[in-house]
Amino acid sequence: MREVEVKALLVDPYQNTPVVLLKDFNSDKVVPVWIGNAEATAIAIALQEKEFPRPLTHDLLQTMVQTLGGELDMVVIDNIQDATYYATIFLRDPNGNVFEVDARPSDSIAIALRMSTPIYISEEVFANSAVDMPDTTGDEQDREKFRVFVENDMNLINFKKYIGNSPANPNETS
Amino acid sequence: MREVEVKALLVDPYQNTPVVLLKDFNSDKVVPVWIGNAEATAIAIALQEKEFPRPLTHDLLQTMVQTLGGELDMVVIDNIQDATYYATIFLRDPNGNVFEVDARPSDSIAIALRMSTPIYISEEVFANSAVDMPDTTGDEQDREKFRVFVENDMNLINFKKYIGNSPANPNETS
């Protein structure tokens, strides 16, 4: 398994669909995951450490899990089938029992960011889906452009020209 | 408190915003609550008893709560302030302790429908927000039209002409 971090939340301008960019801690490779609008909002709010006046659905999920004494050990994006990514949330109850809960990657990431839970990708999914980070191949100007693009711009971005094609189907909500 | 049921999920054509219609069990009054698109989808799926190929966020919430041995005693829409409704979820842990969790009505309803949890509205909110069901005042033809409208049509509906105005602000996501 590879631990990854949420490097950016972008919008694929060709499909007008949000994309989460998960970067491998130990290389310059990234895995793009296409997600739904509501989940993108939930992830964006967590990334920006914003707080809404009212709890959003993932905030409520966090509160209810913590109220019941639950903790998340990790979330793992562990399968891709028919262009849809699958994830498993490892949920620990107050007695130390760990349960594997089937989830979409988008929900898993939205919760992991809120609960400071590590995010992993299985080697198999990584091998199938990872692409090079563009700043390892471009010249200095390209690198700079990409840095700004991933760190500052949470809005509509010309994403595909940077990462090229990917096995994930943009029409699927992961 | 008044127990209510989700009588319909409609779309306010003037604001293009989903509205949940909560009907008092013991009268013909209804309380309309304007909600967000994602929560409306979550409620519609529960009402239609459809199952998605992948768990949606509220399905995941249900699974995680149940995995931790939690149960919902009830959800109560117990406040309205600045045109936003507030709700409380009464969450019971495996030891029988009950915790009050602050939530939006839309999330509360989406979860309550999944977990067969009773939904209540406080007397104060009810007094401020309830409107007559149109089929108690119209003639036979009107009644029939409304019956069809609430039971069959989950899509874009001319809602306001039936229920008139309401204190809730359609621009707020409850």
Side-chain angles (χ1 to χ4, degrees):
Chain A
M1 291 201 303
R2 305 217 174 202
E3 187 167 359
V4 293
E5 63 178 332
V6 178
K7 191 68 187 173
L9 180 65
L10 315 164
V11 174
D12 173 353
Y14 293 85
Q15 305 281 346
N16 203 26
T17 305
V19 185
V20 168
L21 207 61
L22 299 171
K23 188 191 161 293
D24 181 17
F25 269 137
N26 297 314
S27 75
D28 283 320
K29 286 188 178 286
V30 293
V31 173
V33 181
W34 277 260
I35 61 174
N37 287 328
E39 293 75 25
T41 304
I43 291 170
I45 287 160
L47 283 176
Q48 296 175 338
E49 295 176 10
K50 274 190 181 170
E51 216 168 287
F52 258 51
R54 301 296 297 138
L56 298 179
T57 310
H58 294 88
D59 301 322
L60 177 63
L61 206 165
Q62 175 185 6
T63 303
M64 291 181 83
V65 165
Q66 290 177 334
T67 298
L68 293 169
E71 286 174 32
L72 302 195
D73 281 2
M74 60 179 170
V75 306
V76 185
I77 298 169
D78 50 10
N79 199 3
I80 178 168
Q81 226 164 7
D82 298 331
T84 299
Y85 287 103
Y86 291 71
T88 301
I89 296 175
F90 288 76
L91 174 63
R92 180 181 293 270
D93 77 8
N95 300 321
N97 303 308
V98 178
F99 300 89
E100 297 186 16
V101 180
D102 176 36
R104 296 177 300 166
S106 54
D107 283 332
S108 307
I109 294 165
I111 300 161
L113 288 172
R114 282 167 174 76
M115 297 181 73
S116 304
T117 307
I119 303 168
Y120 294 90
I121 296 184
S122 74
E123 287 296 341
E124 195 186 335
V125 170
F126 190 82
N128 278 320
S129 312
V131 293
D132 284 329
M133 275 277 279
D135 63 349
T136 59
T137 52
D139 60 16
E140 187 64 39
Q141 202 187 352
D142 275 356
R143 268 203 289 280
E144 181 56 27
K145 259 191 339 205
F146 188 75
R147 203 188 55 76
V148 173
F149 151 84
V150 292
E151 287 174 11
N152 298 335
D153 199 335
M154 306 286 284
N155 299 314
L156 197 80
I157 298 286
N158 192 343
F159 182 57
K160 277 208 174 162
K161 73 173 178 180
Y162 284 103
I163 63 154
N165 51 12
S166 145
N169 176 359
N171 296 317
E172 290 288 328
T173 298
S174 292
Chain B
M1 290 201 302
R2 305 218 175 201
E3 187 166 1
V4 293
E5 63 179 330
V6 178
K7 191 67 188 174
L9 180 65
L10 316 164
V11 175
D12 173 351
Y14 294 86
Q15 305 281 344
N16 203 27
T17 305
V19 186
V20 168
L21 207 61
L22 299 171
K23 189 191 160 293
D24 182 17
F25 269 135
N26 298 314
S27 75
D28 284 320
K29 286 186 179 285
V30 292
V31 173
V33 181
W34 279 260
I35 61 175
N37 287 328
E39 294 75 24
T41 304
I43 290 171
I45 287 159
L47 284 175
Q48 297 174 336
E49 294 176 10
K50 275 191 183 167
E51 216 168 287
F52 258 52
R54 301 293 300 135
L56 298 180
T57 310
H58 294 89
D59 301 323
L60 177 63
L61 205 166
Q62 175 185 7
T63 303
M64 292 181 83
V65 165
Q66 289 177 335
T67 298
L68 293 169
E71 285 174 32
L72 302 196
D73 280 3
M74 60 179 170
V75 305
V76 185
I77 298 169
D78 50 10
N79 199 3
I80 178 168
Q81 227 165 5
D82 297 332
T84 299
Y85 288 101
Y86 291 71
T88 302
I89 296 175
F90 288 77
L91 174 63
R92 180 181 294 269
D93 76 9
N95 300 321
N97 304 307
V98 178
F99 300 90
E100 298 187 15
V101 180
D102 176 37
R104 295 178 300 165
S106 54
D107 283 332
S108 307
I109 294 165
I111 301 161
L113 288 173
R114 282 167 174 74
M115 297 182 73
S116 304
T117 308
I119 303 168
Y120 294 90
I121 296 183
S122 73
E123 287 295 339
E124 195 185 336
V125 170
F126 191 83
N128 277 320
S129 312
V131 294
D132 283 329
M133 277 274 278
D135 63 350
T136 59
T137 53
D139 59 17
E140 188 65 36
Q141 203 189 350
D142 275 356
R143 268 201 291 278
E144 181 56 27
K145 258 190 342 206
F146 189 76
R147 200 187 57 77
V148 173
F149 150 84
V150 292
E151 287 172 12
N152 298 335
D153 199 337
M154 305 285 285
N155 300 313
L156 197 81
I157 297 285
N158 192 342
F159 183 58
K160 278 208 174 160
K161 74 172 177 179
Y162 284 102
I163 63 152
N165 51 13
S166 146
N169 177 359
N171 296 319
E172 291 287 329
T173 299
S174 291

